[in-house]
Amino acid sequence: MSACIFCKIIKGEIPCFKLIETDKTIAFLDINPLSRGHALVIPKFHGEKLLDIPDEHLTDILPIVKKVAKAVGTDNYNILQNNGRLAHQEVDHVHFHMIPKPNQAEGLGVGWPQQKTDMDQLKVLFEDLKSRI
Ligand code: AMP
């Protein structure tokens, strides 16, 4: 039996406040919300990080994120998907957060440590990445 808490939610072995379900995806309320309406949208396919999830499962997710945001009726919100401990991932089953940002205090707090652009270095990086896609 899988120890994954989100797989248990998918199988109905532990409860959740389920908002939407399709054959590939479910959406439910986060139990420790950053703001009212904070919800999670997850693939039923178990994978730890984004690259582990087949495209056909990923394409089902974004329209559901959109439906949840519409239902919550929030003008300001963040869509967040963390990969790896350093990037604040706690549950090792891919999940997309829909986090309403009703005011400065509630919702997601984001650091945005922008670095100075060096166009030559950026071009080298660009050429390298382009050759890998
Ligand atoms: P992350 O840090 O991106 O891995 O976020 C994991 C999220 O899952 C957190 O916001 C938790 O509050 C949420 N969470 C953990 N367990 C449950 C659960 N049983 N039901 C709903 N949300 C959960």
Side-chain angles (χ1 to χ4, degrees):
M1 199 168 81
S2 169
C4 171
I5 190 164
F6 285 177
C7 285
K8 287 183 178 166
I9 287 178
I10 291 161
K11 285 188 239 160
E13 291 171 3
I14 62 172
C16 74
F17 290 103
K18 194 188 294 177
L19 296 165
I20 300 177
E21 177 165 18
T22 69
D23 59 330
K24 294 191 181 67
T25 308
I26 66 169
F28 52 95
L29 292 177
D30 194 297
I31 42 164
N32 293 118
L34 297 182
S35 57
R36 179 190 171 278
H38 181 174
L40 301 174
V41 183
I42 71 172
K44 290 183 176 176
F45 185 99
H46 177 85
E48 193 173 318
K49 296 180 182 174
L50 189 68
L51 299 193
D52 301 323
I53 308 300
D55 288 356
E56 65 268 27
H57 290 264
L58 290 177
T59 52
D60 202 56
I61 286 177
L62 208 50
I64 293 177
V65 173
K66 186 177 162 187
K67 276 189 182 136
V68 171
K70 191 175 176 197
V72 171
T74 173
D75 276 344
N76 300 281
Y77 51 98
N78 295 95
I79 308 304
L80 177 70
Q81 196 267 313
N82 298 327
N83 295 274
R85 290 288 173 275
L86 200 56
H88 305 286
Q89 183 179 13
E90 285 175 15
V91 177
D92 293 330
H93 181 124
V94 163
H95 49 281
F96 289 74
H97 294 261
M98 197 295 292
I99 310 170
K101 184 73 182 166
N103 52 54
Q104 279 296 334
E106 295 174 271
L108 186 69
V110 186
W112 204 259
Q114 288 183 306
Q115 303 179 359
K116 286 261 178 288
T117 306
D118 176 322
M119 283 301 170
D120 294 333
Q121 280 180 21
L122 206 57
K123 185 163 185 289
V124 171
L125 173 66
F126 166 73
E127 301 290 357
D128 181 42
L129 292 179
K130 203 91 201 316
S131 71
R132 293 165 196 263
I133 290 172

